Amino acid sequence: MSMELEPLADILIEPAIRAALAEDLGRAGDITTNATIPATARARVFINARESGCIAGLDFARIAFQLMDPSVALTIHKPDGSDVAPGDHVATIEGPARAILTGERVALNFLGHLSGIATATREIARAIEGHKARVCCTRKTTPGLRAFEKYAVRAGGGMNHRFGLDDAVLIKDNHIAVAGGVKPAIERAKAMAGHMVKIEVEVDTLDQLREVLAIGVDVVLLDNMGPDMLGEAVKMIDGRAIAEASGRVTVKTAPAIAAAGVDLISCGWITHSAPCLDLGLDFDMLSTS
Amino acid sequence: MSMELEPLADILIEPAIRAALAEDLGRAGDITTNATIPATARARVFINARESGCIAGLDFARIAFQLMDPSVALTIHKPDGSDVAPGDHVATIEGPARAILTGERVALNFLGHLSGIATATREIARAIEGHKARVCCTRKTTPGLRAFEKYAVRAGGGMNHRFGLDDAVLIKDNHIAVAGGVKPAIERAKAMAGHMVKIEVEVDTLDQLREVLAIGVDVVLLDNMGPDMLGEAVKMIDGRAIAEASGRVTVKTAPAIAAAGVDLISCGWITHSAPCLDLGLDFDMLSTS
Amino acid sequence: MSMELEPLADILIEPAIRAALAEDLGRAGDITTNATIPATARARVFINARESGCIAGLDFARIAFQLMDPSVALTIHKPDGSDVAPGDHVATIEGPARAILTGERVALNFLGHLSGIATATREIARAIEGHKARVCCTRKTTPGLRAFEKYAVRAGGGMNHRFGLDDAVLIKDNHIAVAGGVKPAIERAKAMAGHMVKIEVEVDTLDQLREVLAIGVDVVLLDNMGPDMLGEAVKMIDGRAIAEASGRVTVKTAPAIAAAGVDLISCGWITHSAPCLDLGLDFDMLSTS
Amino acid sequence: MSMELEPLADILIEPAIRAALAEDLGRAGDITTNATIPATARARVFINARESGCIAGLDFARIAFQLMDPSVALTIHKPDGSDVAPGDHVATIEGPARAILTGERVALNFLGHLSGIATATREIARAIEGHKARVCCTRKTTPGLRAFEKYAVRAGGGMNHRFGLDDAVLIKDNHIAVAGGVKPAIERAKAMAGHMVKIEVEVDTLDQLREVLAIGVDVVLLDNMGPDMLGEAVKMIDGRAIAEASGRVTVKTAPAIAAAGVDLISCGWITHSAPCLDLGLDFDMLSTS
Amino acid sequence: MSMELEPLADILIEPAIRAALAEDLGRAGDITTNATIPATARARVFINARESGCIAGLDFARIAFQLMDPSVALTIHKPDGSDVAPGDHVATIEGPARAILTGERVALNFLGHLSGIATATREIARAIEGHKARVCCTRKTTPGLRAFEKYAVRAGGGMNHRFGLDDAVLIKDNHIAVAGGVKPAIERAKAMAGHMVKIEVEVDTLDQLREVLAIGVDVVLLDNMGPDMLGEAVKMIDGRAIAEASGRVTVKTAPAIAAAGVDLISCGWITHSAPCLDLGLDFDMLSTS
Amino acid sequence: MSMELEPLADILIEPAIRAALAEDLGRAGDITTNATIPATARARVFINARESGCIAGLDFARIAFQLMDPSVALTIHKPDGSDVAPGDHVATIEGPARAILTGERVALNFLGHLSGIATATREIARAIEGHKARVCCTRKTTPGLRAFEKYAVRAGGGMNHRFGLDDAVLIKDNHIAVAGGVKPAIERAKAMAGHMVKIEVEVDTLDQLREVLAIGVDVVLLDNMGPDMLGEAVKMIDGRAIAEASGRVTVKTAPAIAAAGVDLISCGWITHSAPCLDLGLDFDMLSTS
């Protein structure tokens, strides 16, 4: 099991997979497989890559199959975080044919979705290699899957932003407007959130940035600034805060943003719009009894 | 509320939104908003389209905001199924500023995701307009969101395939291999599944199709056939079964598939890889007390 | 484990048994057994039939005991679907005495209830043997136990009707009245439900039947027709739809209904009013330490 | 709402009905009603008795309809505990037609099941009228529905026995055998269970009864004794314990058992095998728009 | 595993620990341990007492660690109910270092809390040793933990009062006032609650006590009476009911209350205000790989 | 409703109160109240302080009563965070007598527990008034109640530390030992946890402190240092990190710790061992019909 996922598996991951299986099995289960495949039939199948990408979520696939039958064995050839090419064997699965056929869709739905996110993340990460900037995710995630999608971002080489509204402060223009200015907004946040919580403020202009830096925060979010303005901003920050850039980040725009010297480039696209990585199950052996 | 979603709202939809809000609020809630926005502040915001597409999921947005505060009102300008252009007001939301700021991300995560699926579906649907073929979805859906994604497909003008492994039979090559042929596979399925369950068989060749038609099934899945072969298949079927085509369906390939005369074109891409539709919240009024 | 139940066990069945055990254990558990039986005592008991009938639900009994203690072993002598006579050993259970005494009631409540349904189903099935008609169940099931009761129907030799409101269309007189006729009702259903969903229409008269057949549906429900009228209906249908008869079906009336040539005879009684099959636990060995 | 159920409604009853609705709605809801009935159509229906019996569970029906649409109104004509004759209007329901059609089956499944139990209880209660004995239930209940079935027993005029293994001690022969006699068994139970828990011991013979009375318990369960032996037992007990009779209790055998002077007659049949009371929905008004 | 907890472990205890772990792990798990401790590192630690007291809850600690990793072994040196002195090894835990470090806080939170309750109970129990009186708990427990806290009371040598509002009747002054007197209150309770439920009445004066005894109940709660008045009450009761004293019970006041001859002394303090017992984890071995 | 709790009420708080009510109502509800109090009786009661302290948790009390009956009104006289003296009216509750009597214990169990924590926090906070130091809590909380206990700490004037293992890094000696030193431990944590997560390191000596400061972290935990050593530590830190002191913090020791100049004083006692604040319900009016 992936080292990072291990301590969460029993508590957080299994219930999600259980729910996905219940969603697929409905009230009567896999009536096709139960009618056509004897309970004694066994199978060996490969999870194969049908396109290039980065793998994430093999433990989800394994747990899906093992919830169908604990005797299913999954041997990993390309662990989470690996690059794969079309045709690569990602894993071999062996066990009761029914469990494999019935669990297939849920296993692949998780694995393809998370690998898609890892792949998108890696593309950005590769594009900015050589710069100190790291790509990071946002809270623009699929409802119910946030922790898993954030894991996929890490598997693809990215960093995680906030996991929720409660684990860090991010002050935006509306907060500032109602609070009556940047200063009162930051002060109230510091008073309420306590010493273990980081505070980030979003700025759109260098004037705003100057004001925020004078007060002092942990992170500044430089939103929708072009590379030149970002460069000026980084100079102005001069190490007094972490510099995070956001807005219209693509594989094409990322290198220039990174070159401006920011610490982080955050990007909603990698979680909310990454296409599924095309992976399929190919049967290597399927006994008929 | 959308007519179709109404009877599911209290039983199926609200629990999912509640879970998504719990995922985002964590253990301490929106510490930024609670620190900076007084409980008495009120806001009026627009949900605006930032790109063209088809809307689906406004009830999810409404329920998300109302779970934060039941007094939030959402006025719909572009109901589910509407086409929108960049800048269009999709809905107006009015209520306590905290509820709106705190619920914003979950509301948009649902709405953007489902609208993305509706948009992708509509693109295919438009591409095959004039033919009798309808686009339909698969079980390649995001874990936990299947029923909602299938609703989005309908909102975009598509049809739904099976909701799970239990509500129809779909016999594939592996089932046939183990069952000892098409005939025993279909017979066992009919014996087990009963008279209220449709039976579909996947075929890759015209020979297989001929065999299946001789036995008689409700639907045939013509997998990965080119337009010409599809045309022959449709002729061979001659109304004795519903003809569903699948495999490498895109906006570009769909018209030729539809022209071959099939009844349905099924497509995993519209649910598992449709990018989020870009929608945003713009503040029209934000009181400071 | 019963072949059919296997893939559902971990996902659907165990949670239901867990809930039933929690209902019986309450907040303090089996205070009688805990006070009087040492943790080391072991027992071997028979599940014995006290009357004739058909067994269904042994896996539920096994899981109930094993949730109390995973080391309990259950050896099946009369698997699900078997006929039993008074005095027959249905299964032997061996393990810690506490687990067996504490789990006994929940195990027998499931097993007796499901065997009662299997027994009632088999009585009807036997009464119509020799005819092509099969007995099938309805949605008149005990809240929370539908999937299990439908399994018991299959164990008794019956077929299943819809599992819920979502997996097939059944149009009744009220739907027709509001939709403005049989034709618009069927057309709307076909448009909404899609190609994988069967459509059944209930008819009370031969005129209605004629109208429905002219439009074309998968199944017709011939409600409360006498044997003669059923015979005419079957002739009129002539294989163009599946013929299902319902209304006042008992062991006595079933043969005449079946003789009319229908395909299915549906019957609410077998699930909502079948008496529990009388099964009991008899101790073969009970160690005192 | 029934006075007794009121404080449990929000905490215990609603979740069970919600689960039953989810079981029936599945993933796509009532596709028949949604396709054929406009969201604006309204209906007024009667719940009518189709046979004689005793009503229990109207709140379950009401909550089922109101979970579909909170605007549904249910007017009760025959409250829980009432006797009904065939044709009697039990309640009138008025509201959106979709909510009524979609909620109908779950509402009637609860109401028919619980009314069946109330009816069976009342039959026994009537049979022993004039004697001091009261009929009471057992733990032989339908998994998941125990508290509701015990309410139905009270509605039918019966008393409740233990709700679970934890709220009273009931020592049977196996407990005595392992504990090394009646005396150590009772003493251990008293030591563990504490002063707020009643202790009952099952006896099959007058000798056992004598032994138990000498030690002192709250209740004795006189199992499978004929009327004469029961009479002797009651004399022997002479008010020192509550006398409960059990075993082969039917409407026919109950009067003689009651005449023997016992305080309670317990009976598993009324909960595990009572047939559903036949109740149906008849439409009084159904608007077409 | 503690004999008493065994049958509840899988059904009641594990879900509570799972929830506590989810509360602590949040969405990302133990980021400190995952970053700094290799998955292969192993550890052996002692749970040590840092002050004197009575142990309760070792199974909770064990399950917490094993939910993190099923291979963690916990060897018990001081089982539940044992007295410990500062420095005593209570248990040894051995297994993967990550599982131990991540599970530590939840394990100790349960163990310290329950041991605190057992310790407080034992102090009162010791103070009244030699008298027939037993200390017992109340319903003044921590929300969500009642059954576990009542177990800790038993581990400390106390008895349990009601587990909830449903398993015994306790009539207080307000019930009497509204019911129109002690007699109608008791009669209504007897009529509703049935023969397996004990009835207790709270009295503040000897006159009230006389009235209650004349009617007859199972238990009288002598509230806030001084030792002399308690002595008179006990004489007046003369074995016709169980005598329970309550009000301002401390280690200092308990002996005089016990000396008055009551059967039970109930005390809210032992569950709602017992300080946590100070227990800590000391590492005996911690491998670095 | 308390401003801070508002956005969590529906999502986080209500489910916890619902569970506590289910724990208390069991399977049969408040049989005493249901038997003795008519459904129409109404009551007005005060929540009164019986000792001095600080209030926290009135919303929990309100929700508990309103889940019993939504018409119960709670008027707050001493809002959360208020100091109270014996005899003070904290709130007035008016509504159906049954709802108030049945909900009383759960309401008070929450309110007393949380007020106890607020009271303990305030005592420490008062003891260090005039210094810049703030008292803060730990993860030593009651399982299942952490977020609520941390709210009570804020109500009492304290600050919150981490809510879980996932929202900040806290490196202790064992992490350092296995990671091979302070430097690699901190570096690995920074690499994994990302830019929105604070990093704290526990140090026992000034040498360790110097090493940590040289690397740079957000917070240092000065564990078990005496006031003099703390003073030196604060001087050494010189604003480069937040200084948190822990270990044997009591009302007596806190002033000297605060005087040493630290920023935070963390203290497990205020959550895990604060005695319940004594609050009671006194009836002002109780109608008998």
Side-chain angles (χ1 to χ4, degrees), chain F residues 253-265:
Chain F
T253 62
I257 298 172
V262 297
D263 300 291
L264 276 307
I265 302 177

Side-chain angles (χ1 to χ4, degrees), chain D residues 71-124:
Chain D
S71 75
V72 175
L74 184 142
T75 310
I76 293 178
H77 310 305
K78 299 282 183 183
D80 283 11
S82 303
D83 290 313
V84 292
D88 277 357
H89 289 346
V90 175
T92 303
I93 301 156
E94 186 152 9
R98 282 189 174 183
I100 292 173
L101 284 161
T102 300
E104 169 182 359
R105 182 49 36 223
V106 167
L108 290 182
N109 282 351
F110 271 111
L111 185 60
H113 181 72
L114 297 179
S115 296
I117 290 170
T119 299
T121 305
R122 180 144 296 176
E123 280 170 28
I124 307 261

Side-chain angles (χ1 to χ4, degrees), chain F residues 18-219:
Chain F
R18 220 173 255 278
L21 286 166
E23 186 186 49
D24 202 22
L25 292 168
R27 289 156 301 208
D30 185 351
I31 53 179
T32 309
T33 293
N34 292 351
T36 59
I37 308 287
T40 52
R42 293 185 61 80
R44 185 169 54 238
V45 307
F46 299 121
I47 300 180
N48 285 334
R50 306 225 191 286
E51 62 177 329
S52 295
C54 174
I55 295 296
L58 279 167
D59 284 321
F60 290 80
R62 182 180 53 73
I63 294 172
F65 288 120
Q66 290 178 344
L67 279 170
M68 288 292 93
D69 189 309
S71 75
V72 175
L74 185 142
T75 311
I76 293 177
H77 310 304
K78 298 284 183 182
D80 283 11
S82 303
D83 289 314
V84 293
D88 278 358
H89 290 345
V90 176
T92 304
I93 301 155
E94 187 153 8
R98 281 190 174 183
I100 292 172
L101 284 161
T102 300
E104 170 182 359
R105 182 47 37 222
V106 167
L108 289 182
N109 282 351
F110 271 111
L111 185 59
H113 182 71
L114 297 179
S115 297
I117 289 170
T119 300
T121 305
R122 178 143 300 175
E123 281 171 28
I124 306 261
R126 289 259 157 81
I128 59 176
E129 237 164 14
H131 299 285
K132 85 167 158 183
R134 302 288 301 272
V135 57
C136 83
C137 57
T138 65
R139 282 170 44 248
K140 296 179 179 176
T141 56
T142 313
L145 303 179
R146 184 171 290 165
F148 311 147
E149 294 185 345
K150 287 193 174 267
Y151 164 75
V153 167
R154 295 197 302 273
M159 299 295 285
N160 294 150
H161 208 285
R162 291 197 292 179
F163 273 68
L165 289 161
D166 63 325
D167 59 358
V169 167
L170 176 42
I171 298 173
K172 300 189 178 183
D173 51 356
N174 289 316
H175 299 114
I176 293 168
V178 178
V182 170
K183 203 177 163 69
I186 294 173
E187 277 167 0
R188 286 184 205 163
K190 281 184 180 173
M192 183 178 180
H195 68 299
M196 294 306 284
V197 172
K198 285 213 177 173
I199 295 183
E200 179 170 19
V201 179
E202 181 183 317
V203 298
D204 301 313
T205 67
L206 296 180
D207 281 351
Q208 288 174 331
L209 175 60
R210 192 171 295 113
E211 192 182 358
V212 167
L213 289 172
I215 300 162
V217 295
D218 298 294
V219 190

Side-chain angles (χ1 to χ4, degrees), chain A residues 15-281:
Chain A
I17 300 177
R18 220 174 255 279
L21 286 166
E23 186 186 48
D24 202 22
L25 291 169
R27 288 156 302 208
D30 185 352
I31 54 179
T32 308
T33 294
N34 292 351
T36 57
I37 308 286
T40 51
R42 293 186 63 79
R44 184 169 54 239
V45 306
F46 298 121
I47 300 181
N48 286 334
R50 307 226 189 284
E51 61 178 328
S52 294
C54 173
I55 295 297
L58 279 167
D59 284 321
F60 291 80
R62 182 181 53 73
I63 295 172
F65 288 118
Q66 291 179 343
L67 279 169
M68 288 294 92
D69 190 309
S71 75
V72 175
L74 185 143
T75 310
I76 293 178
H77 309 304
K78 298 283 184 182
D80 283 11
S82 303
D83 289 313
V84 292
D88 277 358
H89 289 346
V90 176
T92 304
I93 302 156
E94 186 152 9
R98 281 189 176 184
I100 292 173
L101 283 162
T102 300
E104 169 181 0
R105 181 49 37 222
V106 167
L108 289 183
N109 282 351
F110 271 111
L111 185 60
H113 182 71
L114 297 179
S115 297
I117 290 170
T119 299
T121 305
R122 179 144 297 176
E123 280 170 27
I124 307 261
R126 289 258 157 82
I128 60 176
E129 239 165 12
H131 299 284
K132 85 167 157 182
R134 301 287 301 272
V135 58
C136 83
C137 58
T138 65
R139 282 170 44 249
K140 296 180 179 174
T141 56
T142 313
L145 302 180
R146 185 172 290 166
F148 311 146
E149 294 185 344
K150 287 192 174 270
Y151 163 76
V153 166
R154 295 197 302 274
M159 300 294 285
N160 294 149
H161 207 286
R162 292 195 293 179
F163 274 67
L165 289 162
D166 64 324
D167 60 358
V169 167
L170 175 42
I171 298 173
K172 301 190 178 182
D173 51 355
N174 289 317
H175 299 113
I176 292 168
V178 179
V182 170
K183 202 177 163 68
I186 294 173
E187 277 166 2
R188 286 184 205 163
K190 282 184 179 171
M192 184 177 179
H195 68 298
M196 294 305 285
V197 172
K198 285 215 178 170
I199 295 184
E200 178 170 19
V201 179
E202 180 182 318
V203 299
D204 301 313
T205 65
L206 296 180
D207 281 350
Q208 288 174 332
L209 175 59
R210 193 172 295 115
E211 191 181 358
V212 167
L213 290 172
I215 301 163
V217 295
D218 298 295
V219 188
V220 285
L221 180 60
L222 308 165
D223 194 40
N224 273 321
M225 295 182 176
D228 291 351
M229 194 168 158
L230 279 174
E232 283 187 65
V234 169
K235 242 182 278 171
M236 194 185 291
I237 294 167
D238 192 25
R240 286 177 293 164
I242 294 166
E244 175 186 342
S246 69
R248 304 199 193 94
V249 178
T250 65
V251 175
K252 284 189 187 158
T253 63
I257 299 173
V262 298
D263 299 292
L264 289 136
I265 301 177
S266 58
C267 175
W269 176 83
I270 55 176
T271 48
H272 68 57
S273 294
C276 195
L277 185 69
D278 195 0
L279 300 160
L281 233 58

Side-chain angles (χ1 to χ4, degrees), chain D residues 12-13 114 157 173 214 217 250 277:
Chain D
L12 293 187
I13 297 177
L114 297 179
D173 51 356
V217 295
T250 66
L277 186 69

